[in-house]
Amino acid sequence: MATAYLILAHKLPRQVVRLVKRLSDGGGPVWLHVDRKSRQLFEPFRGALDKLGHVTVTSETNVAWGHVSMLRVMMRGIDVLMRDHPEITHIKHLSGQDFPLRPPAEFDAFLARYRSASLLEHFAAPFAGWVDGGEPGGGLDRVRYLHCRFGERVRRIPIPLPLPRGYRLFVGSALWCLCREHARFVLERSGALYQRLRWAGHPDEMFFRTALASSPFAGDLVNNDYTFVKWQ
């Protein structure tokens, strides 16, 4: 098994270096995107990152939380990792604030049981968990109305939009682990869905799960991203 890691970071550079070192020591390739706004913050740490093996660092995109720019970066990272590392079987997405509780080798061994499966939360919208959490539409309003970026914020515009044709909307955590076949599918066969969700709020929490849960691969999805999250 060979797992690649795709990381989006925008703060805490010391923590990010620690994370990347832990992953690269495991032998898997790491693709790290640092928000373009944060390049100066990370500049003193570039030397430490450049010394690590199997690591690519880029800062090509100005990312805004909840905006399609996050999804765009993820798709770019998947494309690069798939092209440059034909040996990988899975791609695991992490934020720069994450850290593996177990060694990467143990995660590889765990994924050996899911060689043709992807790990990602996916709940049909409207999702009751989000309704209970204070989002009345349970995820649907993120798509039913136009969302636009103003500076570093994404705002909902009261202009109704149709739901994506041919898809049932699924929502969940932005984190995921895609097997290679599923990663290729979202790159090559989900262009129309991507274009529609460009105008949604937080499309990174909908795109991958909607594309795959509406595909012939729906039965190969594990509804768990195996990530412990503690909000502060």
Side-chain angles (χ1 to χ4, degrees), residues 49-231:
L49 289 168
D50 291 341
K51 291 178 182 178
L52 301 175
H54 320 290
V55 176
T56 300
V57 183
T58 182
S59 297
E60 59 194 41
T61 302
N62 182 340
V63 176
W65 182 70
H67 184 248
V68 70
S69 51
M70 295 186 69
L71 178 57
R72 186 183 308 130
V73 169
M74 293 178 189
M75 295 291 278
R76 171 64 176 157
I78 292 172
D79 186 40
V80 171
L81 288 168
M82 292 279 287
R83 183 190 66 218
D84 293 350
H85 299 280
E87 77 282 3
I88 63 173
T89 60
H90 289 79
I91 300 175
K92 171 62 177 169
H93 163 50
L94 299 165
S95 81
Q97 295 157 255
D98 294 330
F99 197 80
L101 298 177
R102 306 298 303 168
E106 288 191 20
F107 189 57
D108 284 345
F110 175 75
L111 287 178
R113 292 185 281 165
Y114 299 103
R115 189 175 185 90
S116 299
S118 292
L119 316 179
L120 74 169
E121 288 186 351
H122 54 287
F123 306 101
F127 173 41
W130 284 9
V131 174
D132 294 342
E135 188 170 337
L140 288 178
D141 288 349
R142 298 184 181 192
V143 180
R144 287 192 296 206
Y145 296 98
L146 177 67
H147 288 72
C148 294
R149 179 174 179 174
F150 296 90
E152 297 308 312
R153 298 182 65 86
V154 174
R155 298 188 182 278
R156 180 184 299 172
I157 309 299
I159 298 176
L161 297 174
L163 293 175
R165 181 176 299 177
Y167 293 92
R168 183 176 183 185
L169 189 68
F170 284 80
V171 300
S173 164
L175 300 176
W176 42 259
C177 180
L178 302 182
C179 73
R180 188 177 189 92
E181 187 175 15
H182 297 174
R184 182 182 298 110
F185 178 83
V186 297
L187 283 178
E188 298 177 355
R189 302 284 299 279
S190 304
L193 179 64
Y194 177 89
Q195 291 301 322
R196 172 60 186 83
L197 293 183
R198 288 177 58 209
W199 305 108
H202 299 274
D204 55 309
E205 297 180 354
M206 295 180 283
F207 172 73
F208 296 103
R209 43 212 34 87
T210 296
L212 292 171
S214 302
S215 78
F217 299 117
D220 298 324
L221 303 182
V222 178
N223 198 355
N224 193 332
D225 56 25
Y226 290 94
T227 303
F228 172 75
V229 178
K230 183 177 181 180
W231 296 103

